[in-house]
Amino acid sequence: ILTSAECIEALKKLLGIDVDFITLTKIWDSAINIPCTTVSGYKNGMLYISVQTSSAQMEINYRKTQIIKIINQYLASDKIKKIKVSIGK
């Protein structure tokens, strides 16, 4: 039988929600700030972004290299290698 803390930790791991995810969300909201976008996940160097509009998707795709560089500067590491964008999630 698992404790409630162990269950929460297992759920956070399964969903990809950890300190890195929370930090990435804050960085995205403050430094990148592209309207109609949200961080939907992070795993193995891949940052997953959900967008509501095709124009937001185009902007991210156009600025991918710059966005990765900005986020990695905030993190003081090269954790982000790629960005995957999906519409409507």
Side-chain angles (χ1 to χ4, degrees):
I1 297 178
L2 297 174
T3 67
S4 59
E6 291 169 331
C7 287
I8 290 171
E9 287 303 313
L11 184 59
K12 286 181 358 185
K13 185 176 181 180
L14 178 69
L15 296 174
I17 300 172
D18 58 9
V19 174
D20 286 340
F21 177 80
I22 294 165
T23 302
L24 288 167
T25 301
K26 289 180 181 182
I27 293 169
W28 185 267
D29 291 343
S30 64
I32 307 304
N33 195 24
I34 299 173
C36 303
T37 64
T38 56
V39 175
S40 57
Y42 165 74
K43 190 171 187 178
N44 299 327
M46 177 75 76
L47 182 62
Y48 296 90
I49 304 296
S50 295
V51 299
Q52 297 174 3
T53 64
S54 59
S55 60
Q57 181 184 29
M58 287 174 35
E59 181 175 354
I60 292 169
N61 285 330
Y62 178 74
R63 295 178 48 202
K64 262 185 193 177
T65 303
Q66 176 193 21
I67 291 169
I68 291 169
K69 184 177 179 181
I70 290 169
I71 292 172
N72 283 335
Q73 284 176 340
Y74 271 88
L75 295 173
S77 72
D78 289 332
K79 284 188 177 188
I80 304 301
K81 305 292 184 202
K82 296 181 181 181
I83 297 175
K84 182 172 182 177
V85 183
S86 58
I87 294 180
K89 290 186 179 180

